[in-house]
Amino acid sequence: MVVAVVSFVDVTKVYPPAVRALDQVTVAIDGGEIHAFVGENGAGKSTLMKVLNGEIRPDAGRVEVFGSEVSYRSARDAMAAGIGMVHQEILLVDQLTVWENVVLGNEPTTRFGLVDRARGRREVATTIATAGLSLDVDAIVGTLTVGARQKVEIAKLLFRDVRILILDEPTAVLTPQEIPELFDELRRLRDDGRTICFISHHLDEVIELADRITVLRDGAHIATVAASSTSVAELARLMVERDVLLTTQRTPLERGAPVLRVRGLEAGITGSSARLGPIDLTVHQREVLGVAGVEGNGQHDFVEALVGVVACQAMELGVDEVDLRPLSILGRRRHLAFVPSDRRTQGGALAAPIVDNVAMTHHRLTAGFSAMRGWLFDRSRATDLAAQLRHDFDITSTSVEATLGSLSGGNQQKVVLGREMSMDRPLVVLDQPTRGVDVGSIEEIHRRILGLRADGKAVLVVSADLDELLRLGDRIVVMFRGRLVLDIDAADATLELLGRAMLEGVDGRTAPRAPSTASTGVSP
């Protein structure tokens, strides 16, 4: 008989002034199952899992673990009880090895109280081998791919004998080749008797991996269904109460004149080498250029070099007929809109109201945002724009005066997207525009990106989601170790071709196949 290892009973969490993040949620998680949680941004998925992990205290209801009511005061308490969470933001020490990161804070010691390094390494190696995780215990973490780093986080939990693992968007930054390997490892953990809670916006992955799926909406439990008896369309309908268009209708357009011209761009120059470049590319009017690559291969440096956040040198860097090289960040923003990958530290100010976040850059560069000949900020104009974007982008908040930090991650992203997309710029640079955004919102964001394209804009989209690039892009380029290794029409691209370029740094249309260990971090 299957026994529930976790039971949420009427769990409620309310944030001031009256936001019901969780509304009497009752759901059971069985032992030895992979249980997925899906829902729109702000539906309560992460909040519910943080209640289980001891990071959030519920206002009402109860949580039962292994048949007993619990009330953890911290994640440390939950860990001691056999519960651990792998968050989206991976926090490891890059300078340490895999095994040193795994034992950190829980190091085995000798009888003299010293760290027993040999025993620590041996025990981590056993943990990794038992779980079937493909990791080199002696690899320096800073040299690993994101997928391998994620496995280190899982190994940390297994080393502490966690029986209930919570994974928040674990596939968000993985290549297509890395995802099946992760899923196989999670299935082995389930078959070993561990219970896995899996949060994801990728509904096809949820159906492939999970045994059961719980749908949350507006903080309430809507349904729990067997993965084998549902579909992507049905899950999307349960999430948003309407049918969702699961494919993007991209009308062929004749591209126009060049907008972004980049020639010989380099950044991070040390001696005779550069961390990024040289990069040569052009983006045209009515064109979406997708940029793919394993995280850390230069995509982030490239967009920051365009915007002026990092120093670079280039033989040519211009938008339309304007040379960007001598311009400040603010000067460049007159010619481009920019959504950074980190909405929390670069995209906005968490402590500031939504209206202030919407007004950023507009208040300096958009006509009508200042009064008294530019001496005073016209807050009423900013409030009107914020209210309009709140409606257009379906931003869930109590008001435009609510702080950005009070919103879910997906709603924070929609605030930043709305601000940038409302600017009339010839070039729009979007770095991970739909990361952490639900399926209904992705549909709307894609529609707006294609609307920019139809309006004659040049759009550059950096994304870890290759399906997204194939749906949106007219062309796709792949970056590997700071260089462009593939430039291909989206109509000719495949997931296998793009994934191989990301992992091996080759143009698979012409290069012979070679074995690669890049996705696992295993030493050759």
Side-chain angles (χ1 to χ4, degrees):
M1 183 179 66
V2 177
V3 178
V5 299
V6 177
S7 295
F8 298 99
V9 182
D10 293 331
V11 173
T12 298
K13 181 64 182 179
V14 180
Y15 290 104
V19 178
R20 298 184 76 83
L22 295 173
D23 189 1
Q24 295 184 306
V25 174
T26 297
V27 63
I29 303 170
D30 293 338
E33 76 165 340
I34 299 177
H35 196 120
F37 290 84
V38 300
E40 291 187 277
N41 296 121
K45 309 179 297 296
S46 294
T47 303
L48 188 66
M49 291 299 98
K50 287 178 180 179
V51 167
L52 176 58
N53 196 44
E55 298 176 53
I56 292 175
R57 302 288 296 276
D59 296 317
R62 68 182 190 274
V63 180
E64 298 176 358
V65 177
F66 301 118
S68 300
E69 185 173 349
V70 299
S71 181
Y72 303 128
R73 293 174 296 177
S74 67
R76 183 181 294 272
D77 285 352
M79 180 82 73
I83 301 168
M85 187 169 181
V86 178
H87 294 83
Q88 290 187 53
E89 295 80 16
I90 297 175
L91 301 176
L92 298 171
V93 182
D94 286 349
Q95 294 78 14
L96 299 182
T97 64
V98 167
W99 78 262
E100 289 170 333
N101 269 279
V102 170
V103 304
L104 193 63
N106 199 38
E107 298 89 344
T109 58
T110 67
R111 60 195 179 103
F112 301 108
L114 302 175
V115 175
D116 191 335
R117 295 179 60 83
R119 178 182 157 202
R121 183 188 183 282
R122 184 173 61 251
E123 291 181 354
V124 171
T126 300
T127 298
I128 288 172
T130 302
L133 299 174
S134 47
L135 283 170
D136 177 0
V137 295
D138 294 313
I140 300 298
V141 163
T143 68
L144 301 183
T145 66
V146 176
R149 292 163 65 88
Q150 199 169 67
K151 293 176 189 178
V152 177
E153 289 278 21
I154 294 173
K156 286 173 62 176
L157 300 183
L158 300 179
F159 184 75
R160 289 154 177 80
D161 198 27
V162 164
R163 307 303 300 175
I164 301 171
L165 286 79
I166 306 166
L167 285 82
D168 191 358
E169 295 284 354
T171 65
V173 293
L174 301 186
T175 67
Q177 286 85 346
E178 291 175 302
I179 292 172
E181 184 177 352
L182 173 66
F183 283 7
D184 286 343
E185 289 160 347
L186 295 179
R187 292 186 185 103
R188 280 195 292 269
L189 293 174
R190 174 199 60 191
D191 295 343
D192 187 45
R194 299 180 198 269
T195 299
I196 297 171
C197 301
F198 182 83
I199 301 174
S200 180
H201 284 114
H202 296 280
L203 301 184
D204 53 342
E205 294 176 359
V206 164
I207 289 175
E208 177 187 350
L209 177 67
D211 299 298
R212 292 193 300 153
I213 304 165
T214 287
V215 180
L216 299 178
R217 185 171 67 234
D218 296 331
H221 174 236
I222 301 301
T224 296
V225 298
S228 59
S229 64
T230 190
S231 66
V232 171
E234 176 61 21
L235 289 176
R237 191 159 43 246
L238 288 170
M239 287 168 55
V240 301
E241 294 187 282
R242 63 176 174 84
D243 290 333
V244 176
L245 184 64
L246 297 170
T247 58
T248 302
Q249 303 297 319
R250 183 165 56 88
T251 304
L253 294 176
E254 182 178 351
R255 70 183 191 182
V259 174
L260 173 65
R261 292 186 178 90
V262 178
R263 188 162 59 93
L265 184 147
E266 294 183 305
I269 301 168
T270 304
S272 60
S273 64
R275 183 178 68 248
L276 173 69
I279 301 293
D280 299 311
L281 63 78
T282 303
V283 190
H284 299 77
Q285 293 173 337
R286 297 187 294 279
E287 180 179 42
V288 176
L289 176 70
V291 181
V294 175
E295 193 159 306
N297 274 265
Q299 313 93 294
H300 184 63
D301 293 318
F302 175 57
V303 296
E304 289 201 331
L306 292 182
V307 178
V309 175
V310 299
C312 70
Q313 66 179 32
M315 289 182 281
E316 182 178 16
L317 178 59
V319 172
D320 285 342
E321 301 302 321
V322 178
D323 185 357
L324 298 183
R325 290 174 297 178
L327 301 183
S328 65
I329 294 175
L330 185 63
R332 295 186 188 197
R333 297 279 275 130
R334 297 181 186 277
H335 309 284
L336 61 87
F338 175 50
V339 174
S341 60
D342 190 340
R343 57 188 170 239
R344 298 175 64 85
T345 61
Q346 289 183 302
L350 296 181
I354 294 171
V355 60
D356 289 0
N357 278 276
V358 165
M360 291 176 181
T361 306
H362 280 290
H363 75 291
R364 295 288 298 274
L365 301 180
T366 302
F369 268 79
S370 57
M372 297 290 292
R373 298 181 181 178
W375 288 100
L376 297 176
F377 173 54
D378 189 344
R379 191 171 184 82
S380 64
R381 172 70 186 274
T383 300
D384 290 343
L385 177 61
Q388 184 65 48
L389 295 181
R390 181 186 177 208
H391 174 268
D392 291 348
F393 284 80
D394 192 25
I395 298 167
T396 303
S397 67
T398 53
S399 77
V400 297
E401 295 296 337
T403 63
L404 187 68
S406 70
L407 308 184
S408 69
N411 281 298
Q412 292 172 11
Q413 182 76 348
K414 288 191 278 188
V415 170
V416 178
L417 281 162
R419 179 188 69 215
E420 298 301 314
M421 287 186 172
S422 63
M423 294 181 179
D424 185 17
R425 302 291 186 264
L427 174 66
V428 182
V429 180
L430 306 173
D431 193 354
Q432 311 296 344
T434 61
R435 179 179 288 175
V437 177
D438 61 76
V439 63
S441 298
I442 288 173
E443 176 190 31
E444 175 62 18
I445 291 168
H446 284 181
R447 187 184 69 80
R448 289 180 176 275
I449 290 173
L450 294 178
L452 294 170
R453 169 180 176 262
D455 289 342
K457 311 298 184 187
V459 186
L460 190 150
V461 179
V462 179
S463 178
D465 186 342
L466 296 185
D467 285 322
E468 176 169 69
L469 296 183
L470 288 169
R471 288 195 297 269
L472 292 174
D474 297 289
R475 276 168 50 225
I476 299 174
V477 297
V478 175
M479 296 194 71
F480 181 79
R481 296 180 181 173
R483 293 174 176 261
L484 298 181
V485 296
L486 178 66
D487 187 334
I488 188 171
D489 286 342
D492 300 325
T494 64
L495 290 175
E496 181 181 8
L497 193 64
L498 296 173
R500 187 178 175 201
M502 292 166 66
L503 289 172
E504 300 177 23
V506 298
D507 184 340
R509 294 171 295 182
T510 58
R513 180 171 293 279
S516 172
T517 59
S519 65
T520 64
V522 177
S523 295

